[in-house]
Amino acid sequence: MLQRYLVTIFLGDGKLFYLPSLLAPSLLAVVPNTFSWSPKVALVMVICNVIAIALGKYGIKNQDVGPALPAPEFFGGMSAASMLAVTSLGHIIGAGAILGLASVGVL
């Protein structure tokens, strides 16, 4: 009898979480509206990565230390570690920009 008043949520690690059915609609309303991938999203990510590479080119002191990339002149003489660092930063900035632009309604 108690089962029909509970909503079961699977947490993914084999555990189940039971939620009173009166709370479930209010919690589902809190989840933000998601958006799908589009070329605009890719363009925002590419722009953020190019900005991060430019910042890294002028901000990293020893950018050529470590293993080299296959065509270092194409990447501004940066090492693989420097390129990994700046593109990681670019993806963090890009994720924030995409979420922000999507919440404003631009994407």
Side-chain angles (χ1 to χ4, degrees):
M1 194 70 165
L2 183 62
Q3 286 290 51
R4 75 174 200 198
Y5 296 110
L6 296 176
V7 175
T8 305
I9 299 173
F10 181 67
L11 296 179
D13 56 355
K15 297 178 183 175
L16 295 176
F17 180 70
Y18 295 103
L19 191 69
S21 61
L22 295 175
L23 292 177
S26 62
L27 287 178
L28 291 176
V30 174
V31 176
N33 189 12
T34 57
F35 56 96
S36 60
W37 184 89
S38 69
K40 290 181 186 179
V41 173
L43 183 64
V44 170
M45 186 60 78
V46 167
I47 289 171
C48 290
N49 276 292
V50 168
I51 291 170
I53 291 170
L55 289 173
K57 178 70 180 152
Y58 295 107
I60 298 176
K61 187 175 183 180
N62 299 321
Q63 55 187 293
D64 57 348
V65 175
L69 291 168
E73 65 278 353
F74 181 70
F75 297 105
M78 293 179 130
S79 67
S82 297
M83 187 57 66
L84 179 63
V86 297
T87 53
S88 296
L89 176 65
H91 276 75
I92 292 170
I93 294 170
I98 290 168
L99 289 173
L101 290 171
S103 69
V104 172
V106 175
L107 292 179

